[in-house]
Structures are given as structure tokens and as C-alpha cells.
Amino acid sequence: MPDDGCISLTRVLLVEDHQPFRKFIRATLTKQKRLQVIAETGDGLEAVSKCLELQPGLVLMDIGLPGLNGIEAARRIRAFVPTCKIVFLTQEASPEIMHEAFKLGASSYVVKTHASDDLVPAITAALEGRQFVSDAGALREKARAAAQGMAASTASTQLRTGDSHVAHFHADDAALLDEFAGFIEGALAAGRAVISIATRPHRAAIQRLLQTRGVDVAASMVAGRFVPLDVDETLAKFMVNGRLDPDRFFAAAEEVVKSVKALNPGVRVLACGEISPSLWARGDRAAAIQMEHLWDQLVRIHDLETLCGYMLAASQHKTDAETYDAICAVHSSILSFCH
């Protein structure tokens, strides 16, 4: 943003219906001295009303909004407040939706997977009269379309069903392992198949717990109903130069999920794991957040039920609240056992 010797504030309206993610975005915006968040809402119709009332210079707009979707809300805002810049911040990576967004006058389009990296550059571009599109959008759309063999627009409109992607935060190893073992035991007892992705020490500990509870671990593995995977080995399949590659992620994940479904026709597949928790624990916050977004897309495509288990010290929560909020925003429900 150009500097003319004095700070000229851009008034921002934040439109996002998911409170944890909205908190994460607000925290990001407050660090930008030239931006002033003047109002927030999670409703499309209310966004239009607030724009008429407050005349903001910039609107950050989600697409999947109650009342009025973000595309239609933006169309009305552009008609009523044509000088207002609009930046879409959304999980929708469909080329068709991107095209519609820019056709109605949007300045930037940020896929939530890369919000931590792309949001500020997208806003800067919008305020300077340029356009910005998250690189992740095309990659994720290509991967989804190839994996599903269907039109991108169909893939992008699948809806979450129930608590399909939950995150539980624990204060110690013992509680985390006990929950993972209980999750797997319950899945197998219900006649379901389960994929578990854990660190090497945790894999061994989980299997010991299952055996003490009377679960025939070996037989379940041979039958393809229990598939224990290693975090590091799994990450190696789609990490390139220290960064997650969405195409490789979907290719690797599709291979595992389809294999389990082929061995268990008609059986619901569940998953539990700690890929993102491991990345965060190693200090790679951006990759941890991106991983959750990619996995969330996989959950939607394959109708999986997933439990993400985090071991989180109180100090980590306080010192890295932004990462915590961003991770919570991706999940369908959150439960914390930390004090």
C-alpha cells in the first residue's frame, strides 16, 4: 500500500458466519495499521444493510452465508456502493464460482486453505486496483475433479453432514491415546472400517491399548478394517521442499480411502489422526492449518467421519491463539479437555 506520509485508514466490513474463523481473520486485520474493522456480521442480507449504512471501503466476504449467499450479497453491494472493494474469503475453489465473483466486480479471491499467506497480499492488491487469486484454488479444484471424475461445480457444492470433522484438545498423552483407542474400538465394534494416522510411538501405544480391551488388532488389519498409518511416512508422500502439495495430498489420500472402501464394500469409513497436530507441534503452523483444510475437503468428498486429536498445553494455546483459532474454524465441532 502506498505511503504518502500519513496513515489513511481503509474501513473494513468483515462478513463471515463461522465465529472462530472470523476471530482469526479479525486478529490478522488488526495487525494492519491501514485497516479499520468497523463492523462484522455472519449474514448476507445484514452485510448489504451494513454496507448501505456504513459505506466501507473494503468488504471481506464469505460465500456460504445464511440469509443471502456471498455472491448475491456482493452483487447488491456493488450496485449500491460501487466504490467498495470486495475480497472473497471462502472454501469454494470452483473456477465457475471464481469467474462469477470477478464478473460481478470482486477484486480478490482467497481460498481459506491459504488465508494465512494470501489474505494480506489479496487486500493490498484490491486497494491498489489489482486482482488477486489464491494459487491454491486451481490446484485443489484440479485435484478434486480428477479424484472424483465429476464436474468441478458438483464437487464444490457438497455439504457437510453432521459432525463429520471434529477436533478434541487434550492436556496429556494418556488422554489422547485413550480417546484414539476408544474411537477405533467403537468403530470396529460397530462394523465400520477405520484409518488411523499417528506418530510411531502413538501407533504402538494405541495398538497395545486396543489389545488390552480385547480387540483382535491383527485380524482387523488383515481384513482391511483397521489401517494404521505413520505420520512421517504419510507426510513424505505429499510434502515437497517443506510445503504441502495439494495434488499429491489428494492422490495419496484417495489411494488409501478407495483401498479401504474396496475391501469393505458398503461399510462406512472413519478416520482419526494427528497429522496437523504433529505439524503444529513441530512449529509449522501454516502447514498445520493448510492440512486441516485439505483434509476437510477430503471429508466432504468421501463422506468420512474424522476425529483430529491434539495434545495442547495451556501455554501453547495462549502463545499461539491465532493458530488455535484458525484450526478450530475448519472443524464441524470442537471439544477441549485442557484447563
Side-chain angles (χ1 to χ4, degrees):
M1 302 176 197
D3 190 352
D4 58 3
C6 62
I7 296 177
S8 177
L9 293 178
T10 296
R11 291 151 46 86
V12 182
L13 171 64
L14 176 54
V15 187
E16 166 63 54
D17 65 327
H18 199 292
Q19 286 284 358
F21 193 75
R22 194 158 91 200
K23 182 178 178 182
F24 163 67
I25 295 302
R26 186 194 314 124
T28 301
L29 296 178
T30 56
K31 296 178 181 179
Q32 305 303 310
K33 294 181 179 180
R34 296 178 182 273
L35 303 178
Q36 178 187 22
V37 179
I38 57 171
E40 302 175 25
T41 181
D43 181 273
L45 282 172
E46 187 175 355
V48 177
S49 176
K50 284 185 178 295
C51 273
L52 286 170
E53 174 190 355
L54 302 173
Q55 300 285 307
L58 176 70
V59 176
L60 291 184
M61 178 83 73
D62 191 10
I63 287 181
L65 296 169
L68 190 69
N69 71 57
I71 293 290
E72 183 56 35
R75 181 176 286 108
R76 298 186 188 185
I77 289 170
R78 289 290 296 168
F80 299 144
V81 191
T83 58
C84 180
K85 306 288 187 181
I86 297 176
V87 172
F88 279 107
L89 182 63
T90 176
Q91 291 189 40
E92 297 291 349
S94 160
E96 289 81 6
I97 295 178
M98 287 186 193
H99 176 72
E100 183 65 22
F102 283 113
K103 188 170 71 173
L104 63 83
S107 298
S108 298
Y109 195 102
V110 177
V111 177
K112 288 182 178 179
T113 306
H114 280 191
S116 58
D117 293 328
D118 290 352
L119 180 58
V120 173
I123 291 173
T124 300
L127 296 181
E128 292 178 354
R130 298 181 287 109
Q131 290 187 338
F132 180 98
V133 180
S134 283
D135 290 339
L139 289 172
R140 291 171 66 228
E141 185 58 33
K142 177 184 175 183
R144 285 208 307 274
Q148 288 302 95
M150 61 175 63
S153 59
T154 301
S156 67
T157 56
Q158 294 194 32
L159 300 177
R160 185 195 305 279
T161 55
D163 282 344
S164 55
H165 188 191
V166 305
H168 289 178
F169 294 87
H170 296 276
D172 56 61
D173 247 4
L176 177 69
L177 293 171
D178 183 69
E179 179 171 51
F180 276 152
F183 180 88
I184 296 165
E185 180 186 15
L188 295 174
R192 299 177 176 182
V194 59
I195 301 166
S196 171
I197 310 175
T199 63
R200 189 162 301 173
H202 283 178
R203 283 179 63 195
I206 290 168
Q207 291 184 37
R208 286 195 297 270
L209 281 172
L210 289 171
Q211 288 168 348
T212 62
R213 298 179 183 190
V215 177
D216 192 335
V217 175
S220 297
M221 290 171 61
V222 170
R225 292 185 55 229
F226 174 41
V227 181
L229 302 175
D230 179 76
V231 166
D232 289 329
E233 293 175 359
T234 302
L235 279 171
K237 295 180 178 180
F238 46 80
M239 291 289 286
V240 179
N241 297 324
R243 294 179 65 88
L244 290 176
D245 184 310
D247 284 310
R248 294 191 182 192
F249 165 77
F250 280 105
E254 288 283 340
E255 182 179 358
V256 174
V257 173
K258 288 184 177 180
S259 174
V260 174
K261 286 190 173 184
L263 291 170
N264 302 274
V267 173
R268 188 165 180 78
V269 178
L270 282 68
C272 63
E274 51 180 345
I275 300 182
S276 290
S278 296
L279 289 168
W280 189 12
R282 298 169 189 177
D284 198 343
R285 300 171 178 84
I289 296 168
Q290 183 186 9
M291 183 70 253
E292 287 290 15
H293 279 283
L294 292 172
W295 190 271
D296 191 64
Q297 200 62 50
L298 189 77
V299 166
R300 294 167 183 261
I301 291 171
H302 285 288
D303 192 24
L304 302 177
E305 291 181 24
T306 295
L307 167 66
C308 298
Y310 285 79
M311 190 174 70
L312 184 67
S315 59
Q316 185 182 8
H317 181 186
K318 293 176 181 178
T319 58
D320 199 1
E322 288 186 27
T323 302
Y324 177 81
D325 290 338
I327 286 171
C328 288
V330 188
H331 292 84
S332 56
S333 67
I334 304 295
L335 185 59
S336 177
F337 301 95
C338 302
H339 300 292

